[in-house]
Amino acid sequence: QVQLVESGGGLVQAGGSLRLSCAASGRAFSSSYAMGWFRQAPGKEREFVSAISGGGGWTNYADSVKGRFTISRDNDQNTVSLQMNSLKSEDTAVYYCAAAIGWSTPTRLKSEYDYWGQGTQVTVSS
């Protein structure tokens, strides 16, 4: 079992920045599995945002956030972070951290993720 807790969400003006963090506990946070961030806006499906490989050397981003968001992980601190810059109103959503135990590469597939956090709200005002 892996427990994931997100933090760092909030209200920000368009053009601003936020940094989301995800703290993992339970099963050893390992460089052997990928971590990802997804988001879900009201009335929409949960969508892929970004993912990072177990070792942290390979990342993957949705086209909508590429160049604005940066994912990173610290396997010693058991954390994954998402730095979000140049935020837009369309980035407003609940953001979820997830762990893909069976994958060492940064998969985009929601179905490949085994554990999920409870989510943190990000609201961008225009």
Side-chain angles (χ1 to χ4, degrees):
Q1 288 277 9
V2 176
Q3 290 80 44
L4 302 171
V5 179
E6 302 96 337
S7 62
L11 173 65
V12 65
Q13 289 189 331
S17 299
L18 280 175
R19 184 177 181 86
L20 305 183
S21 293
C22 173
S25 62
R27 175 175 175 161
F29 192 72
S30 170
S31 60
S32 66
Y33 59 85
M35 297 291 296
W37 286 95
F38 290 75
R39 67 187 182 187
Q40 188 167 17
K44 294 188 176 181
E45 294 285 324
R46 191 171 298 189
E47 65 175 5
F48 171 77
V49 174
S50 182
I52 189 166
S53 61
W58 185 0
T59 56
N60 205 343
Y61 295 95
D63 288 345
S64 59
V65 306
K66 200 172 294 183
R68 299 187 298 123
F69 291 10
T70 303
I71 191 171
S72 60
R73 68 188 291 164
D74 185 333
N75 288 342
D76 292 329
Q77 297 295 319
N78 297 351
T79 59
V80 178
S81 298
L82 186 69
Q83 178 67 41
M84 306 187 296
N85 299 328
S86 303
L87 283 161
K88 306 175 181 179
S89 57
E90 51 262 46
D91 294 318
T92 294
V94 177
Y95 283 70
Y96 297 90
C97 172
I101 301 303
W103 288 78
S104 60
T105 53
T107 178
R108 292 172 170 251
L109 300 176
K110 188 169 50 179
S111 60
E112 298 296 343
Y113 286 82
D114 307 284
Y115 298 99
W116 296 82
Q118 293 300 305
T120 185
Q121 176 71 46
V122 171
T123 303
V124 184
S125 63
S126 56

